Amino acid sequence: MKAHNTVYQKNFSLIAAFLILISITLVVALVIAYNFTYRYVENEFNSRKLDVLEQTIKPYNDFFQNRIPEITSYQGFLDSSSAANYARSVFQDYPFVKLIRYDEIAIGSRAGSGMGISVKAVYEYQTGKNGIIGARQRVNADDVDFRTMAAKFNYYIVQADTSRVPSQDEVYRTFYDVRPSKISYLNIPRREDIKIYRELQKGRNTAAYYKHNMMTFMLDVYTIKLRNTHPELYQHISVQPVVYDPLNNDKNELRTEVAFPGAFADYKLYFQSAKGHLSDEINRRFMPTGAIVLLIYVFLVLIGWLIYRNLNVNLKLFKLQYDFINNFTHEFKTPVSVIKIAGSNLRGEGELTERQRKHYGKILDEEADKLNELMNKLLSFTQIENRSIKLNKEEINLDQFVQKYINTFSIKYPDFEMGYKVEGIYNFYTDPVLMGSIFQNLIENAYKYSNPGQKELFISIGYEKRNIVFSFADKGIGIPKDEINNIFKKFYRIENQYNQNGSVGLGLAFCKELVNFMNGDLQVKSKVNEGSEFIVTLPYEN
């Protein structure tokens, strides 16, 4: 027996080791998953800034690529009024544009020096309380913006290929002049105009005069609307000069930056987030991963528990089977030994008297009955479990039925005090053989598990809610609470002095199976050292 326990204990140790291993694996997996999530969020903090920049400068890109080139559609015929209308729409759609200067340019030929480019008039527009404010300014021939655009334009006319439309790169290099917080734009001439301007450069058309438009936009980066598309990553976003570098380095704060393009190149977006702010995002992203890891862990623990339960059941079954074989062997051994002794005496050489012969014959008969009763009990139990027998119902008189078993056990156990009471019902329609088996086992149990001098049993029968209830109340040793759920199991025996010999552990299990087979229920109430009450409830059929 000990050897078998050792085998099962080794299996339990393996399960314990398995649980410890998966618990350690769980902790390691959670730590790795958290660190991975932390690194991932930290990398996103440094990379997602480009998304914020893209959304923030989206209005600027639209202004640069779409609104400014609209000037070309006027083909040089802008005047102060139409320029004011254009400026009004720009101020309305792009608040970061603070001032627009409109240069009315004249292109013509100068005697002996080829083509000339000059400024005829200058207008400035800006927003005021009552709308757009426009004013004519003094012409400054040395204006840097004008001279730069004029030089680019002259060079372009010399180099331009009039057989095709200028490429985007040529347009940006020639007709745009992008400086910090300032963009100048000259309208793009048609290919026919370029041919004419090239003739002017050669001095061949001295009477020609052509209008051209140039606009300069003054921008304020601090009025651009910041679009924080990732508030879970960036707690604070601000516009700072490129050279900005804070002196205090807070270890509890993460920072990153990205420079603006184009006219805002002297500025950058500056991102700040407290580590606690990022911790919230890390935890939010970690939760699904952690939940999946925990789910896998619970699944593995469940598997371990199922294995443990299976081993535990097998251990109990092994113990029950071992006890059954041991007890069953003992039950067979006693009558077999008695039969062997009686048989040996009968086969002896000495002559036996008639009295001795009858005595040995009685012994053989009684011991054979014991063996037969034991075998019949096992056979009946198997038949009940397999539902291979049928109920043979007949009407019985309860008073006579109970009295018969009381008389039988009074003869068998003279020290057994029994009484009974039948109330409200007299006849019962049932299988008398199966009912008798229930009575026999419960009465036998009451006698066996009672202390000497306290062997008492009272049987009461009554009618309750269309059921007939049989109560078997004794004053025996009682049943511990932790054993109540086990007493109806096959081959199970409570470890006490009353179970050392002569019990296979089938009596109560057999009763339970019989009652269930008869569509009834068997319950027990018990207190240690006070007694037990077995209650059999069967459906009443009139």
Side-chain angles (χ1 to χ4, degrees):
M1 189 69 180
K2 291 183 178 179
H4 289 289
N5 285 338
T6 304
V7 171
Y8 277 100
Q9 282 206 333
K10 287 182 180 178
N11 289 329
F12 293 143
S13 300
L14 286 175
I15 294 174
F18 170 73
L19 292 175
I20 293 172
L21 178 62
I22 64 172
S23 297
I24 295 173
T25 305
L26 167 72
V27 174
V28 172
L30 290 175
V31 171
I32 292 175
Y34 187 85
N35 288 334
F36 178 80
T37 306
Y38 177 83
R39 298 289 182 189
Y40 184 78
V41 172
E42 202 173 50
N43 290 336
E44 279 204 339
F45 179 82
N46 293 317
S47 62
R48 291 295 184 181
K49 58 188 178 183
L50 296 177
D51 295 342
V52 177
L53 175 65
E54 181 181 354
Q55 293 301 316
T56 299
I57 65 170
K58 192 173 182 180
Y60 168 80
N61 290 334
D62 181 69
F63 168 71
F64 187 83
Q65 297 171 4
N66 300 317
R67 185 56 64 86
I68 291 179
E70 287 181 5
I71 298 171
T72 296
S73 62
Y74 291 95
Q75 289 300 317
F77 292 100
L78 270 173
D79 55 21
S80 60
S81 177
S82 55
N85 291 332
Y86 173 80
R88 183 178 293 106
S89 67
V90 170
F91 290 139
Q92 182 178 350
D93 296 337
Y94 308 100
F96 54 84
V97 179
K98 294 303 177 184
L99 185 143
I100 299 176
R101 189 178 69 216
Y102 163 58
D103 291 351
E104 187 178 313
I105 297 175
I107 300 177
S109 59
R110 291 182 293 183
S113 58
M115 185 184 73
I117 303 176
S118 60
V119 179
K120 295 299 183 181
V122 177
Y123 298 89
E124 284 190 355
Y125 305 95
Q126 56 186 325
T127 55
K129 293 183 180 180
N130 298 321
I132 189 170
I133 301 174
R136 184 165 182 166
Q137 304 294 320
R138 184 176 61 86
V139 176
N140 181 8
D142 295 326
D143 180 69
V144 176
D145 298 327
F146 168 71
R147 287 192 293 109
T148 301
M149 296 301 292
K152 287 183 177 182
F153 189 58
N154 267 316
Y155 180 77
Y156 177 75
I157 292 173
V158 174
Q159 300 293 329
D161 184 358
T162 56
S163 63
R164 61 176 176 82
V165 176
S167 65
Q168 199 67 31
D169 184 60
E170 290 173 333
V171 169
Y172 287 148
R173 281 189 288 112
T174 305
F175 302 100
Y176 283 92
D177 182 36
V178 181
R179 302 192 182 202
S181 301
K182 182 193 295 186
I183 300 175
S184 296
Y185 179 80
L186 187 69
N187 70 281
I188 304 171
R190 296 171 297 181
R191 284 181 286 177
E192 292 78 4
D193 295 335
I194 293 174
K195 293 177 182 179
I196 294 172
Y197 295 155
R198 190 172 289 172
E199 294 296 321
L200 290 175
Q201 283 182 336
K202 296 176 181 179
R204 296 177 181 175
N205 192 345
T206 56
Y209 170 76
Y210 301 94
K211 291 182 66 176
H212 225 62
N213 304 132
M214 173 181 161
M215 279 196 171
T216 301
F217 303 90
M218 307 300 178
L219 312 179
D220 183 3
V221 71
Y222 291 105
T223 59
I224 197 166
K225 186 176 180 180
L226 302 179
R227 302 179 184 275
N228 187 1
T229 55
H230 295 284
E232 73 281 1
L233 298 175
Y234 306 115
Q235 194 173 11
H236 301 291
I237 303 176
S238 60
V239 176
Q240 301 291 346
V242 172
V243 296
Y244 173 76
D245 188 18
L247 297 177
N248 61 322
N249 290 321
D250 190 354
K251 293 182 179 180
N252 292 321
E253 188 176 68
L254 292 177
R255 302 169 183 171
T256 188
E257 57 189 41
V258 60
F260 278 109
F264 298 144
D266 285 351
Y267 298 91
K268 63 185 178 183
L269 280 178
Y270 191 71
F271 302 86
Q272 297 169 280
S273 288
K275 287 188 176 180
H277 181 74
L278 283 185
S279 294
D280 294 339
E281 178 62 15
I282 292 170
N283 292 335
R284 186 185 69 82
R285 298 192 184 189
F286 172 71
M287 287 302 292
T289 305
I292 292 173
V293 173
L294 285 175
L295 187 63
I296 295 173
Y297 174 76
V298 170
F299 177 72
L300 293 176
V301 169
L302 179 61
I303 291 177
W305 179 79
L306 291 174
I307 295 173
Y308 169 79
R309 188 184 68 170
N310 187 54
L311 288 174
N312 198 34
V313 170
N314 288 339
L315 178 60
K316 290 181 179 178
L317 181 60
F318 173 80
K319 188 176 183 302
L320 288 174
Q321 290 173 341
Y322 181 83
D323 290 344
F324 167 71
I325 293 172
N326 189 35
N327 298 328
F328 198 73
T329 302
H330 185 275
E331 284 292 296
F332 266 89
K333 185 177 180 181
T334 301
V336 168
S337 299
V338 173
I339 291 172
K340 185 174 179 62
I341 293 171
S344 297
N345 291 333
L346 288 173
R347 288 188 292 107
E349 295 181 358
E351 290 188 10
L352 297 175
T353 65
E354 184 67 19
R355 182 179 179 182
Q356 287 176 324
R357 185 179 60 79
K358 288 182 178 180
H359 175 68
Y360 290 134
K362 182 181 178 182
I363 291 174
L364 291 173
D365 189 55
E366 288 177 350
E367 297 306 321
D369 286 342
K370 288 182 181 179
L371 291 176
N372 187 56
E373 182 183 352
L374 184 59
M375 295 304 298
N376 285 337
K377 183 179 286 188
L378 286 173
L379 180 60
S380 299
F381 198 108
T382 304
Q383 290 175 334
I384 291 293
E385 280 189 320
N386 296 329
R387 298 295 191 266
S388 58
I389 63 173
K390 294 182 179 180
L391 284 173
N392 296 315
K393 292 185 178 182
E394 60 182 70
E395 189 176 10
I396 62 172
N397 182 280
L398 290 172
D399 187 75
Q400 295 176 3
F401 184 82
V402 176
Q403 189 64 53
K404 180 183 71 172
Y405 281 94
I406 288 180
N407 294 337
T408 300
F409 277 91
S410 294
I411 297 172
K412 186 176 182 180
Y413 303 121
D415 60 337
F416 196 12
E417 296 183 13
M418 290 181 288
Y420 76 96
K421 177 178 66 175
V422 180
E423 288 184 342
I425 188 169
Y426 303 99
N427 297 321
F428 181 44
Y429 192 68
T430 187
D431 189 318
V433 176
L434 299 184
M435 196 71 212
S437 295
I438 296 173
F439 266 71
Q440 186 173 347
N441 277 281
L442 293 179
I443 295 173
E444 188 80 44
N445 237 41
Y447 180 82
K448 181 178 179 181
Y449 293 99
S450 295
N451 292 312
Q454 291 182 323
K455 295 185 181 295
E456 300 177 18
L457 175 67
F458 188 81
I459 303 171
S460 60
I461 304 173
Y463 182 75
E464 182 181 320
K465 297 180 180 179
R466 296 184 180 180
N467 293 321
I468 184 169
V469 179
F470 300 84
S471 171
F472 297 80
D474 62 52
K475 293 184 179 180
I477 62 173
I479 304 168
K481 286 185 178 180
D482 56 347
E483 298 282 4
I484 291 290
N485 295 326
N486 297 320
I487 60 174
F488 296 115
K489 293 179 180 178
K490 288 187 298 183
F491 312 128
Y492 187 85
R493 299 187 312 143
I494 299 175
E495 298 296 335
N496 56 41
Q497 59 179 331
Y498 299 92
N499 263 334
Q500 299 304 312
N501 297 304
S503 175
V504 185
L506 284 177
L508 291 177
F510 184 52
C511 288
K512 183 73 171 177
E513 287 293 332
L514 280 175
V515 172
N516 290 341
F517 181 71
M518 298 167 72
N519 298 318
D521 185 41
L522 174 59
Q523 299 293 332
V524 61
K525 299 177 182 178
S526 183
K527 289 185 178 180
V528 176
N529 298 324
E530 291 186 18
S532 303
E533 181 184 9
F534 288 87
I535 303 170
V536 177
T537 304
L538 295 173
Y540 177 73
E541 298 181 20
N542 189 357

